Amino acid sequence: MAEQSGELMTGLEEIDRVYACAAECEIWDQPVEHRTARAFVFAATGFLRGLGEAADSDLWRPSAALLRRCRRLVTTVPLPFSHPLLEFEACARQLEVTVARLEGVADAGHLERLRAVVPGLQSLAADGVDPLGDCTREFLTLEDPRDGFVVLSDRRFAGAVAEAMALNGVEVRCGTHAELLGHSIYSSVVAVGSPAWIHPGLLNAPRTANLAIVHYGFFREEPEVAPLLFGPAASTHVTRPVRKSKPYRCGEPETPVPGGLVAEPDGAGLLGAGECSPSEEIRASFPRYSAAGGQRGMRDQAEAHAAVLADGSHVLLPAALDARVLSLRADGLPDVQVEQVPASSVGRGDYLALRNRPHHQDLMDRADAILGADAASLRATQADWKRRLWERTEQHPRGIRGVADELRSRGAVTANVGYWVSDWCIRPRRKADFAVVLRYLAADADVESVWEQLRRIDSAHRSAGQRYADDLHRALTPDSVARLVAAGWCTVRPSGPGSETLVARIDDVLSGTLHVPLNALCRLRTTEDF
């Protein structure tokens, strides 16, 4: 009982510290102005907005994806524009080649807007300044920067940003917002990026005495602090306004205008919360799913939800398929249990274990090792009935839906044809439904024999998944679990070199569904993959 009381007191003391810090914290909205950055971002935005329905065409998609990436990096990563990680020079050359190739072939308006982007990107690539970084360093040095923290949207840039800060005389920790959810309280914190992207917990429960939101001044939204608690508690001093700082100007003097005011960006070019964000790139990489269409050509496609992870990466989770993914029970931390669960069942707050290859492909390879010499013949049986079923959907006037209706009319209880024809499916759940399918296909095969062969494949998949879960459980050391609890993610190697696995918490699930290739599902992805 005494031990439980001590744990409770520790939790209460932690809450008291957060409330005390939140009550005293000063939050500053710090816009940054840089003429070249503004010119490039406005030109890129003009091209992207001007594409309209052409944005999904094969002609413009590569250029649009490249510019979305460059625009996001300009506005969210506090590194010198000439830094090799940003690759602005290579991107400018690629766009120049595209403009020359499309001259006289593509829409003149789109081409002119694309051509207008190139000089701005070239100027950035040749410019070694770091506007967001300079503003961040100035704010941090008001206190001891070694007791500060820089919040980034993607952990993969944390090392490079910390190194760039140190080269400029400021030693500071860098990471994602999830890493601020631990017990530490900092003297100063800088969150870099659009005010609308800032995680609510960073504003209504800041673990710092001074918080600056450093962003370019051409974002439309301003930061708002939501109440830490709703109801009567919302009237406490924990909720307070955000103070607006004077624009931090880098590389250019203030432009005087009549009346002594500072010139503001053109309102038509201001950016909204959905622009320059990682979620914009995720959604733009795949067409939105339409329930009214897509009845054909879907064998290697699936509906998916995009889940953003605590480290800034993301995963595409099937909306309907019975695909499985490794998950950790969040409520049991630091006592970890690893299990395979339907990918469509996980959501915000769950922990996933992901590799850079699809979980399903990894399971297939491991299962084939278990099946041994019989793997090839068993897989041929699996592929045969699925191929026959797919051919019927291609021949049917109403495609997948028509075949599903006919199977139900013949006695099938379930007719998840879209899943059955996919590579993810081994067999239907019910043998009776599978018998209906074989009769419908006029397949000259014994139901019991085929069902038994598919059962062996299914058993091998389950065994392979359990073995990998056991390997992962053994690889989760106390240090890695502590990192997982503190930062929301950690990396482990469950089966030696080359098997690095990210374990990360789901922080958000984007609204709507996407139509994605099957090989993109249930694997670790970043916006740099596109």
Side-chain angles (χ1 to χ4, degrees):
M1 179 65 72
E3 182 178 349
Q4 292 180 348
S5 176
E7 292 177 356
L8 179 62
M9 286 302 296
T10 301
L12 292 175
E13 289 172 357
E14 170 68 9
I15 293 172
D16 286 343
R17 290 182 68 207
V18 173
Y19 266 92
C21 189
E24 298 175 1
C25 176
E26 290 187 345
I27 301 178
W28 296 89
D29 178 18
Q30 178 61 74
V32 177
E33 286 294 337
H34 185 266
R35 182 172 299 171
T36 307
R38 184 199 305 178
F40 164 71
V41 170
F42 277 28
T45 302
F47 169 73
L48 292 170
R49 290 177 178 174
L51 283 179
E53 295 181 359
D56 285 332
S57 72
D58 293 337
L59 190 64
W60 299 110
R61 181 184 287 271
S63 297
L66 184 147
L67 283 177
R68 286 191 185 94
R69 174 186 178 274
C70 290
R71 189 177 63 170
R72 173 178 57 84
L73 296 183
V74 167
T75 55
T76 62
V77 181
L79 285 174
F81 293 138
S82 57
H83 196 283
L85 270 182
L86 304 181
E87 300 180 324
F88 289 158
E89 184 177 358
C91 292
R93 287 198 301 268
Q94 184 176 337
L95 290 177
E96 277 190 306
V97 171
T98 300
V99 168
R101 178 172 56 84
L102 298 180
E103 190 73 48
V105 177
D107 179 272
H110 297 331
L111 192 60
E112 188 60 33
R113 284 187 287 271
L114 182 59
R115 182 183 289 109
V117 173
V118 175
L121 192 54
Q122 289 172 330
S123 297
L124 287 179
D127 194 339
V129 301
D130 181 9
L132 296 177
D134 288 345
C135 183
T136 296
R137 283 185 283 271
E138 181 174 274
F139 182 81
L140 289 172
T141 51
L142 296 176
E143 302 286 343
D144 184 352
R146 291 172 298 181
D147 191 30
F149 195 94
V150 177
V151 182
L152 307 173
S153 61
D154 191 330
R155 72 171 170 95
R156 290 171 309 112
F157 293 98
V161 171
E163 182 179 353
M165 292 284 172
L167 289 174
N168 286 274
V170 174
E171 295 186 8
V172 64
R173 286 187 58 191
C174 300
T176 64
H177 87 272
E179 294 177 75
L180 289 177
L181 302 181
H183 299 286
S184 299
I185 290 181
Y186 298 90
S187 61
S188 298
V189 170
V190 176
V192 182
S194 164
W197 307 341
I198 304 301
H199 194 276
L202 191 59
L203 297 180
N204 60 25
R207 296 173 181 267
T208 179
N210 302 284
L211 172 63
I213 304 170
V214 172
H215 60 92
Y216 285 109
F218 40 73
F219 285 100
R220 182 177 290 111
E221 289 83 6
E222 295 186 356
E224 295 182 355
V225 181
L228 187 59
L229 295 174
F230 292 93
S235 62
T236 67
H237 295 293
V238 172
T239 302
R240 70 219 155 277
V242 178
R243 302 187 182 186
K244 188 80 171 182
S245 300
K246 290 177 57 179
Y248 179 89
R249 299 189 177 273
C250 178
E252 61 177 289
E254 292 189 0
T255 303
V257 296
L261 301 176
V262 176
E264 291 294 330
D266 176 15
L270 294 179
L271 302 179
E275 294 175 301
C276 304
S277 68
S279 62
E280 177 195 37
E281 290 184 66
I282 296 170
R283 290 190 173 103
S285 299
F286 306 102
R288 290 297 184 94
Y289 175 75
S290 173
Q295 295 183 19
R296 300 185 184 279
M298 291 177 54
R299 190 178 186 183
D300 62 345
Q301 300 281 308
E303 282 183 84
H305 296 290
V308 180
L309 306 177
D311 74 321
S313 59
H314 68 277
V315 61
L316 298 169
L317 299 171
L321 303 188
D322 195 22
R324 303 181 79 81
V325 67
L326 289 176
S327 177
L328 280 71
R329 288 187 180 176
D331 56 354
L333 294 176
D335 296 326
V336 178
Q337 292 191 21
V338 183
E339 55 187 9
Q340 288 193 88
V341 299
S344 56
S345 70
V346 298
R348 182 180 300 178
D350 289 328
Y351 290 80
L352 300 182
L354 301 164
R355 296 179 62 188
N356 286 320
R357 64 186 311 217
H359 180 61
H360 174 68
Q361 184 60 53
D362 191 64
L363 276 184
M364 284 186 62
D365 293 345
R366 293 169 181 270
D368 284 353
I370 294 174
L371 294 170
D374 293 336
S377 62
L378 293 172
R379 293 294 185 189
T381 300
Q382 177 190 7
D384 181 64
W385 78 269
K386 291 153 66 70
R387 175 185 56 78
R388 290 169 178 262
L389 184 59
W390 172 249
E391 289 173 351
R392 291 296 292 268
T393 67
E394 294 250 280
Q395 298 164 4
H396 199 287
R398 292 191 296 118
I400 289 174
R401 291 181 181 176
V403 170
D405 289 343
E406 289 189 359
L407 288 173
R408 292 189 186 95
S409 71
R410 295 175 182 229
V413 175
T414 58
N416 193 359
V417 177
Y419 173 55
W420 290 348
V421 298
S422 75
D423 290 341
W424 289 72
C425 177
I426 297 173
R427 62 178 184 174
R429 291 183 179 179
R430 301 177 69 252
K431 182 164 67 173
D433 290 340
F434 186 59
V436 173
V437 171
L438 292 186
R439 289 196 299 269
Y440 175 74
L441 298 176
D444 185 19
D446 178 66
V447 174
E448 293 294 336
S449 174
V450 175
W451 186 257
E452 172 59 22
Q453 293 179 67
L454 299 180
R455 184 204 63 77
R456 288 185 60 190
I457 298 176
D458 183 68
S459 176
H461 273 250
R462 293 179 185 276
S463 296
Q466 187 57 54
R467 291 182 188 180
Y468 189 69
D470 292 342
D471 290 344
L472 181 62
H473 185 271
R474 285 190 291 269
L476 284 164
T477 65
D479 286 345
S480 61
V481 172
R483 166 86 176 156
L484 180 64
V485 174
W489 63 272
C490 70
T491 56
V492 294
R493 289 182 172 83
S495 53
S499 67
E500 183 171 281
T501 298
L502 174 77
V503 183
R505 185 185 63 239
I506 296 177
D507 274 358
D508 193 20
V509 178
L510 303 186
S511 60
T513 56
L514 306 172
H515 207 201
V516 307
L518 287 171
N519 62 13
L521 293 172
C522 300
R523 59 178 292 190
L524 177 64
R525 299 182 65 87
T526 72
T527 49
E528 306 301 306
D529 292 335
F530 302 128

